[in-house]
Amino acid sequence: MQTIAFIGLGHMGLPMARNLLKAGFNLKVFDLVQASVDELAKEGAQAASSAADAALGADSVVTMLPASRHVEGLYLGDSGLLSALKPGTLVLECSTIAPESARKVHKAAAERGIELLDAPVSGGTAGAAAGTLTFMIGGEAAVLDKARPVFEAMGKNIFHAGPDGAGQVAKVCNNQVLAVQMIATAEAMALGVANGLDPAVLAEIMRQSSGGNWTLEKYNPWPGVMENAPASKGYSGGFMAELMAKDLGLAQEAAQVTASSTPMGALALQLYRLLLKQGKGQKDFSVVQQLFVE
Amino acid sequence: MQTIAFIGLGHMGLPMARNLLKAGFNLKVFDLVQASVDELAKEGAQAASSAADAALGADSVVTMLPASRHVEGLYLGDSGLLSALKPGTLVLECSTIAPESARKVHKAAAERGIELLDAPVSGGTAGAAAGTLTFMIGGEAAVLDKARPVFEAMGKNIFHAGPDGAGQVAKVCNNQVLAVQMIATAEAMALGVANGLDPAVLAEIMRQSSGGNWTLEKYNPWPGVMENAPASKGYSGGFMAELMAKDLGLAQEAAQVTASSTPMGALALQLYRLLLKQGKGQKDFSVVQQLFVE
Amino acid sequence: MQTIAFIGLGHMGLPMARNLLKAGFNLKVFDLVQASVDELAKEGAQAASSAADAALGADSVVTMLPASRHVEGLYLGDSGLLSALKPGTLVLECSTIAPESARKVHKAAAERGIELLDAPVSGGTAGAAAGTLTFMIGGEAAVLDKARPVFEAMGKNIFHAGPDGAGQVAKVCNNQVLAVQMIATAEAMALGVANGLDPAVLAEIMRQSSGGNWTLEKYNPWPGVMENAPASKGYSGGFMAELMAKDLGLAQEAAQVTASSTPMGALALQLYRLLLKQGKGQKDFSVVQQLFVE
Amino acid sequence: MQTIAFIGLGHMGLPMARNLLKAGFNLKVFDLVQASVDELAKEGAQAASSAADAALGADSVVTMLPASRHVEGLYLGDSGLLSALKPGTLVLECSTIAPESARKVHKAAAERGIELLDAPVSGGTAGAAAGTLTFMIGGEAAVLDKARPVFEAMGKNIFHAGPDGAGQVAKVCNNQVLAVQMIATAEAMALGVANGLDPAVLAEIMRQSSGGNWTLEKYNPWPGVMENAPASKGYSGGFMAELMAKDLGLAQEAAQVTASSTPMGALALQLYRLLLKQGKGQKDFSVVQQLFVE
């Protein structure tokens, strides 16, 4: 039975780790928050006292950390985790970070004979709990084949996006489109309602027409249009506006490297920052609807 | 057998009228371009010498004209068509025009006892030819019930959007979302490819993820990703960029009336105008992809 | 001594009319608000009971109305004021309206042998009171020469912008640049202060450098940087955000006619509408600063 | 007589170094391009074989490098220039780089007892040649006092922007405002001309009104309005569009650190990148005018 070290037990990491446990993997877990470690220990995981302790003797390592600097801080440098891993260890780095940063960690891993994949997820905490996450994966196809059983215990759609860093690129591209179409939908809903339309009727017409998109399908930002959407529950739950701002910022970092022009994505970032200034960063990202209504 | 007057036989009107003929309606047709009238006359329609001549004795009137001024010019005023119609005539005004303009024509029709619907379409020339258009309809539900057989001979999805003008509002809302997500998709494709991803792989990942939208489903703007999309045929066919600019302009007119803020829609309009300045107005609207590649 | 009819005694019109009185003109005044008429009557003007009554026998007419529809409503049509004026009357139409609307009124005036100028102002209520307004004037140079003494009694800079409607075009171009640079300045102030700079120091550096503009010179949006600016008085006084939104809307109307792309101007309009949604429409337009601070 | 090491003899550095020579300083110069070193050597400077060689025994060091990575690469690390300088050396780091990067170099300098100022310039190659540059300076006031004679040999306006990194912050704020108002001016010029105005008349009206800004004063983007502006010389000379894109990118980096919303600045960056895609990166930045005309 394979042993997996899981490092980073936050809102996403905890339910992901739990799904690995349920799938029968031996799990060694670490997080700076001891309570999260204890919680999983009660469910059968082995508590580790540090990231290195968790990784000791593990066949695979899964990490789920907040940002580029945490990932670089964990893996790189003379006392970094990559130096402690035995050659042949499989690393599934699932954090959402800058593609540049992912490529840097890939390079360092390759120099030490460690197989690493950048594998950011989408699907939110609900998808993490249900084991239905989408993984967008950068790295070698052969490595992905080995890692597939681990991914499948946590997710439903496992995409090979391309070479090192490609998982992160696919993620920021996807989330940039998502943010823009959420705002476009919110604008259109407000415009239509101000002009006398019933929000549910307008939402349904656009959903079935060429304006159709994922937000109209699953996640309408107008309160009451979809019973289970965050918009109908005070914009609670879901995917926080400040995390969307983070992802849009990563997209801009990637765009900076290639001098790519992304007017819609750039504007989306600025509008999310306006929301953050209004103290709405911890609301679901569909709260952008409130910019457009009185 | 019902007699229908069809006025306006352009790229959209001609195939729409043809579908009415095929469905067995008596058709009287008029257009300023005699060749279009002659073409339909050969197929069984009755050629009229003017709009009023076409409408004489018709049970219903269908109009498909370029812009608000043509519609107001045709229907309103002392010598307008509304004055010539007998009370009880059913008018299906299918042009895409400003909601304000549609409401003005509705009001004048009501004063003369004429039942009128604003019923703009989406689906492009392909949908017009195939009889699979979407109609977004404003006006009374009871009137729509009477007109339904005529709509069904030309389209597949027949939506009742709401009261007078609501069809136009739904149309501009839908097309504004469409334009924004087309640009967002084009930006993301360019960003991903510049960062080393395969365009087909990126397109497929986004299509199946939360970035999914109609353009990724049917109409990818990157050449070669979808064999039958305009992008793979030199951006020919489809829905012209200048018509998208027109619809985005109508959305801004509607937004002006209600002081609605639509940052994404407004930016989309400006970007389409940049394309028009570059002489690309008659290319398919997915040509916006070219703004983002060298 | 010349007799002038002054119609429209609002925040701007009242002090403008008062300056004409002070300059020694015979003044006949009308407004729908009787109190304004009475106020000027006490100061020596002749109260009129209607616009036509005011214009009866006047050598010149000055109008200062809120929007295009008021101007068209006053002048045009069979019972419009143009029909009542004697040929040779000089009309100074000082409202800020759509260039299209101004051209329509010019055309109707020319048909009746009336000499008309479109002459919107900038300078705000302070400039109106001080007689230091800027006039941007469209129409014939020879007509402007005749009208110059009237303008000079109300303003300081009298610009001949070009042919009919050119005054309105110059006004919307100017105000669009003003709005954009106000927002740009506010953004930069917030960015600099968030990065540790003293607002007064940053303001002064930019003012003297290539970022210099009128808002940095006269009207800094950061509270406390300029003692007498609206920003230092709770954003009261000055030029209301909702009036700036109106002017930006007129600019978009003009841009629609010529299919001009104005990405900055369009975005400025959308941001001002966000402010209006927040209930800040009656604050000075530099209140846009508050979008960018917590 | 003070000895200054000057490192980085590009388009800006070369004329800046020449002005130090003219002012009577002993100059030791280094650049990777030998021809530039030779050119100054002929004029009296001492050619150095490396940056460290130039700095050996110098009282002050001036550096003028392309980007953050060059500056960090030169100064930092165990074999970096800071390690080679004697305590008490005065460093004037004049490159335009990220504020974060400047703060990093400041910190490393302080740890070694080296006095350093971040001192980016504005004024372009013309200002560099004429010795009329503007310096925006971050660091201690007392250090600036010591360095003042060196700055005054190269520039006219010497601003103390604030603490470490503040020079860079002021520079990116200023240049962001500059870019936005250049685009706003270009948009307005195109809009006005499309609506029938004479470009020179419109430019003059706005220059004297509330739309007035540095670009209208010195640098009008419409060809022919100002004889000596780059716009009248095929957009050659001046400040290259790709350098403006670089500075706007630095502004976005600074905004990312503080989560500042800068919608206008972000849009300006995207529009400049569109120009770069069109192959116009090496034209003067007023070439943005061409986006808005056919």
Side-chain angles (χ1 to χ4, degrees):
Chain A
M1 175 53 62
Q2 221 194 101
T3 296
I4 300 174
F6 200 111
I7 298 160
L9 303 168
H11 293 304
M12 294 294 292
L14 188 70
M16 288 165 70
R18 187 173 281 138
N19 279 323
L20 292 177
L21 264 185
K22 284 185 196 159
F25 291 102
N26 289 329
L27 212 63
K28 295 172 71 182
V29 297
F30 178 69
D31 193 280
L32 294 173
V33 176
Q34 187 61 35
S36 303
V37 175
D38 294 346
E39 189 172 338
L40 278 175
K42 276 184 217 149
E43 301 177 23
Q46 186 177 338
S49 58
S50 69
D53 178 32
L56 192 70
D59 305 296
S60 305
V61 173
V62 180
T63 50
M64 192 66 184
L65 302 174
S68 301
R69 68 179 182 282
H70 306 99
V71 173
E72 294 192 29
L74 175 68
Y75 283 109
L76 304 180
D78 291 343
S79 56
L81 192 60
L82 286 177
S83 305
L85 296 179
K86 61 182 187 219
T89 308
L90 197 58
V91 178
L92 289 61
E93 209 302 283
C94 298
S95 320
T96 294
I97 61 175
E100 284 280 279
S101 197
R103 288 181 202 118
K104 205 185 294 183
V105 177
H106 267 285
K107 189 156 170 285
E111 287 166 7
R112 286 164 181 79
I114 308 284
E115 295 177 321
L116 185 142
L117 299 168
D118 57 294
V121 306
S122 84
T125 51
T132 58
L133 290 171
T134 294
F135 285 90
M136 302 174 188
I137 300 169
E140 289 178 27
V143 177
L144 170 51
D145 285 341
K146 288 192 221 170
R148 195 172 293 273
V150 181
F151 286 125
E152 287 179 344
M154 301 184 287
K156 206 173 73 175
N157 293 307
I158 318 294
F159 292 113
H160 185 216
D164 294 358
Q168 300 296 346
V169 175
K171 170 82 188 275
V172 299
C173 287
N174 181 75
N175 277 22
Q176 181 170 285
V177 173
L178 171 58
V180 172
Q181 65 199 15
M182 175 58 85
I183 302 175
T185 298
E187 278 180 16
M189 292 299 299
L191 175 60
V193 171
N195 275 274
L197 267 70
D198 178 272
V201 170
L202 175 59
E204 183 59 15
I205 291 174
M206 295 195 296
R207 189 183 71 79
Q208 291 194 40
S209 304
S210 52
N213 63 47
W214 186 88
T215 73
L216 284 161
E217 206 66 54
K218 310 263 192 187
Y219 216 93
N220 196 292
W222 193 273
V225 168
M226 287 182 175
E227 202 182 333
N228 291 315
S232 299
K233 297 181 279 190
Y235 298 103
S236 63
F239 181 57
M240 288 194 293
E242 66 186 23
L243 292 178
M244 183 51 97
K246 176 201 157 194
D247 288 1
L248 289 166
L250 293 174
Q252 289 306 304
E253 276 189 58
Q256 174 74 22
V257 173
T258 50
S260 299
S261 182
T262 61
M264 293 290 169
L267 181 53
L269 173 55
Q270 309 307 318
L271 293 173
Y272 272 103
R273 286 190 184 146
L274 291 185
L275 279 172
L276 269 52
K277 295 279 173 218
Q278 295 177 12
K280 296 179 179 172
Q282 303 199 8
K283 295 283 184 182
D284 177 74
F285 80 114
S286 59
V287 75
V288 72
Q289 183 69 71
Q290 294 188 336
L291 278 181
F292 305 118
V293 290
E294 272 157 76
Chain B
M1 175 53 63
Q2 220 194 103
T3 296
I4 300 175
F6 200 111
I7 299 160
L9 304 168
H11 293 304
M12 294 294 292
L14 188 69
M16 288 165 71
R18 186 173 283 137
N19 280 323
L20 292 177
L21 265 184
K22 284 185 197 159
F25 292 102
N26 289 331
L27 212 63
K28 296 172 70 182
V29 298
F30 178 69
D31 193 280
L32 294 173
V33 177
Q34 188 60 37
S36 303
V37 174
D38 294 346
E39 189 172 339
L40 278 174
K42 277 184 219 150
E43 302 177 22
Q46 185 177 338
S49 59
S50 70
D53 179 33
L56 193 69
D59 304 296
S60 304
V61 173
V62 179
T63 50
M64 192 66 184
L65 302 174
S68 302
R69 68 179 181 281
H70 306 98
V71 174
E72 294 192 29
L74 175 67
Y75 283 108
L76 304 181
D78 290 343
S79 57
L81 193 60
L82 285 177
S83 306
L85 296 180
K86 60 182 187 219
T89 308
L90 196 58
V91 178
L92 289 62
E93 208 302 283
C94 299
S95 319
T96 294
I97 61 175
E100 283 280 279
S101 198
R103 288 180 202 118
K104 206 185 292 182
V105 178
H106 267 285
K107 189 156 169 287
E111 287 166 6
R112 285 164 181 79
I114 309 285
E115 295 177 319
L116 186 141
L117 298 168
D118 58 293
V121 307
S122 85
T125 50
T132 58
L133 290 171
T134 295
F135 285 90
M136 303 176 189
I137 300 168
E140 288 178 27
V143 177
L144 170 50
D145 284 342
K146 287 192 221 170
R148 194 171 294 272
V150 181
F151 286 126
E152 287 178 343
M154 300 184 287
K156 205 173 75 174
N157 293 308
I158 318 294
F159 293 113
H160 184 217
D164 294 358
Q168 300 296 346
V169 175
K171 170 84 188 274
V172 299
C173 287
N174 181 76
N175 278 23
Q176 181 170 285
V177 172
L178 171 59
V180 173
Q181 64 199 16
M182 176 57 86
I183 302 174
T185 297
E187 278 180 17
M189 291 299 299
L191 175 60
V193 171
N195 274 273
L197 267 69
D198 178 273
V201 170
L202 175 59
E204 183 60 15
I205 292 174
M206 295 196 295
R207 189 183 72 79
Q208 292 194 40
S209 304
S210 52
N213 63 48
W214 186 88
T215 72
L216 284 161
E217 205 66 54
K218 310 264 192 185
Y219 216 93
N220 196 292
W222 193 274
V225 168
M226 287 182 176
E227 202 181 332
N228 292 315
S232 299
K233 297 181 279 189
Y235 297 103
S236 63
F239 181 56
M240 286 194 293
E242 65 187 23
L243 291 177
M244 183 51 97
K246 176 201 157 194
D247 288 0
L248 289 166
L250 292 174
Q252 290 306 304
E253 275 190 59
Q256 174 74 23
V257 173
T258 50
S260 298
S261 182
T262 61
M264 294 289 169
L267 180 53
L269 173 56
Q270 309 306 318
L271 293 172
Y272 272 103
R273 285 191 184 145
L274 292 184
L275 279 172
L276 268 51
K277 295 279 172 218
Q278 294 177 12
K280 296 179 179 171
Q282 302 199 9
K283 295 283 185 180
D284 177 74
F285 80 114
S286 59
V287 75
V288 72
Q289 182 70 69
Q290 294 188 336
L291 277 182
F292 305 117
V293 290
E294 273 157 76
Chain C
M1 175 53 63
Q2 220 194 104
T3 296
I4 300 175
F6 201 111
I7 298 160
L9 303 168
H11 293 303
M12 294 294 292
L14 187 69
M16 289 166 70
R18 186 172 283 137
N19 280 324
L20 291 177
L21 264 184
K22 285 185 196 158
F25 291 102
N26 288 330
L27 212 63
K28 297 173 67 182
V29 298
F30 178 69
D31 193 281
L32 294 174
V33 177
Q34 188 60 37
S36 303
V37 175
D38 293 346
E39 189 171 340
L40 278 174
K42 277 184 220 148
E43 301 177 22
Q46 183 177 341
S49 60
S50 69
D53 179 33
L56 193 69
D59 304 296
S60 305
V61 173
V62 180
T63 50
M64 192 64 182
L65 302 174
S68 302
R69 69 179 181 283
H70 306 99
V71 174
E72 294 192 30
L74 174 69
Y75 283 108
L76 303 181
D78 290 343
S79 57
L81 192 60
L82 286 177
S83 307
L85 297 178
K86 62 180 186 219
T89 310
L90 197 57
V91 178
L92 289 60
E93 208 302 284
C94 299
S95 320
T96 293
I97 62 174
E100 283 279 280
S101 197
R103 288 180 202 119
K104 206 185 292 183
V105 177
H106 267 286
K107 190 157 170 286
E111 287 166 5
R112 285 164 182 80
I114 308 286
E115 295 178 319
L116 185 141
L117 299 168
D118 58 294
V121 307
S122 84
T125 51
T132 58
L133 290 172
T134 294
F135 286 90
M136 303 175 189
I137 299 169
E140 287 177 29
V143 178
L144 170 50
D145 284 342
K146 290 192 219 171
R148 194 172 293 272
V150 182
F151 286 126
E152 287 178 344
M154 301 184 286
K156 206 173 73 176
N157 293 307
I158 319 292
F159 292 113
H160 184 216
D164 295 356
Q168 300 296 347
V169 174
K171 170 83 187 276
V172 300
C173 287
N174 182 75
N175 278 21
Q176 181 170 285
V177 173
L178 171 58
V180 172
Q181 66 199 16
M182 177 56 86
I183 301 175
T185 298
E187 278 180 16
M189 292 298 298
L191 175 61
V193 171
N195 276 274
L197 267 70
D198 178 272
V201 171
L202 175 59
E204 183 59 15
I205 291 175
M206 295 195 296
R207 189 183 71 79
Q208 291 194 41
S209 305
S210 51
N213 63 47
W214 186 88
T215 74
L216 284 161
E217 206 65 53
K218 309 264 193 186
Y219 216 92
N220 196 292
W222 194 272
V225 168
M226 286 183 175
E227 203 181 332
N228 292 316
S232 300
K233 298 181 278 190
Y235 298 104
S236 63
F239 181 56
M240 286 194 292
E242 65 188 23
L243 292 177
M244 183 51 97
K246 177 202 157 192
D247 288 0
L248 289 166
L250 293 174
Q252 289 306 304
E253 275 189 60
Q256 174 73 23
V257 173
T258 50
S260 298
S261 182
T262 62
M264 294 290 170
L267 181 52
L269 173 56
Q270 310 306 317
L271 293 173
Y272 272 103
R273 286 192 183 146
L274 291 185
L275 280 172
L276 269 51
K277 296 279 172 217
Q278 295 176 13
K280 295 178 178 170
Q282 303 199 7
K283 294 283 184 182
D284 177 74
F285 81 114
S286 60
V287 75
V288 72
Q289 183 69 70
Q290 294 188 336
L291 277 182
F292 305 117
V293 290
E294 271 157 77
Chain D
M1 175 52 63
Q2 221 195 103
T3 296
I4 299 175
F6 200 110
I7 298 160
L9 303 169
H11 293 304
M12 295 293 293
L14 188 69
M16 289 165 69
R18 186 172 283 136
N19 280 324
L20 292 177
L21 265 183
K22 285 185 196 158
F25 292 101
N26 289 329
L27 212 62
K28 297 172 68 183
V29 298
F30 178 69
D31 193 280
L32 294 174
V33 176
Q34 187 60 35
S36 303
V37 175
D38 293 345
E39 189 171 340
L40 279 174
K42 276 184 221 150
E43 301 176 23
Q46 183 178 340
S49 59
S50 69
D53 179 33
L56 194 69
D59 303 297
S60 304
V61 173
V62 179
T63 51
M64 192 64 183
L65 302 174
S68 301
R69 67 179 182 282
H70 307 98
V71 174
E72 294 193 28
L74 175 69
Y75 283 108
L76 304 181
D78 289 344
S79 57
L81 191 61
L82 286 177
S83 306
L85 297 179
K86 60 179 187 222
T89 309
L90 197 57
V91 179
L92 289 60
E93 209 302 284
C94 299
S95 319
T96 294
I97 61 175
E100 283 280 280
S101 197
R103 288 180 202 119
K104 206 185 292 183
V105 177
H106 267 286
K107 190 157 170 285
E111 287 165 6
R112 284 164 183 79
I114 308 286
E115 294 178 319
L116 185 141
L117 298 168
D118 57 294
V121 307
S122 84
T125 50
T132 58
L133 291 171
T134 295
F135 286 89
M136 304 175 188
I137 300 168
E140 288 178 27
V143 177
L144 170 50
D145 284 342
K146 289 191 220 170
R148 195 173 293 273
V150 182
F151 286 125
E152 287 178 344
M154 302 184 286
K156 206 173 74 174
N157 294 307
I158 319 294
F159 292 114
H160 185 217
D164 294 357
Q168 300 296 348
V169 175
K171 170 83 189 276
V172 299
C173 287
N174 182 75
N175 277 21
Q176 181 170 285
V177 173
L178 171 59
V180 172
Q181 66 200 16
M182 177 57 86
I183 302 175
T185 297
E187 278 180 15
M189 292 299 298
L191 175 61
V193 170
N195 275 274
L197 268 68
D198 178 90
V201 171
L202 175 59
E204 183 59 15
I205 292 175
M206 296 195 295
R207 189 183 71 79
Q208 292 194 41
S209 305
S210 51
N213 62 48
W214 186 88
T215 74
L216 284 160
E217 207 64 54
K218 310 265 192 185
Y219 216 92
N220 197 292
W222 194 273
V225 169
M226 286 184 175
E227 202 182 333
N228 292 315
S232 299
K233 298 181 277 190
Y235 298 103
S236 63
F239 181 56
M240 287 195 292
E242 65 187 24
L243 292 178
M244 183 51 97
K246 176 202 158 192
D247 288 1
L248 289 167
L250 293 174
Q252 289 306 304
E253 275 190 58
Q256 174 74 22
V257 174
T258 50
S260 298
S261 183
T262 62
M264 294 289 170
L267 181 53
L269 172 56
Q270 309 307 317
L271 293 172
Y272 272 103
R273 286 191 183 146
L274 291 185
L275 279 172
L276 269 52
K277 296 280 173 216
Q278 294 176 13
K280 296 178 179 170
Q282 303 198 9
K283 295 283 184 181
D284 177 73
F285 81 114
S286 59
V287 74
V288 72
Q289 182 70 68
Q290 294 187 335
L291 278 182
F292 305 118
V293 290
E294 270 157 78

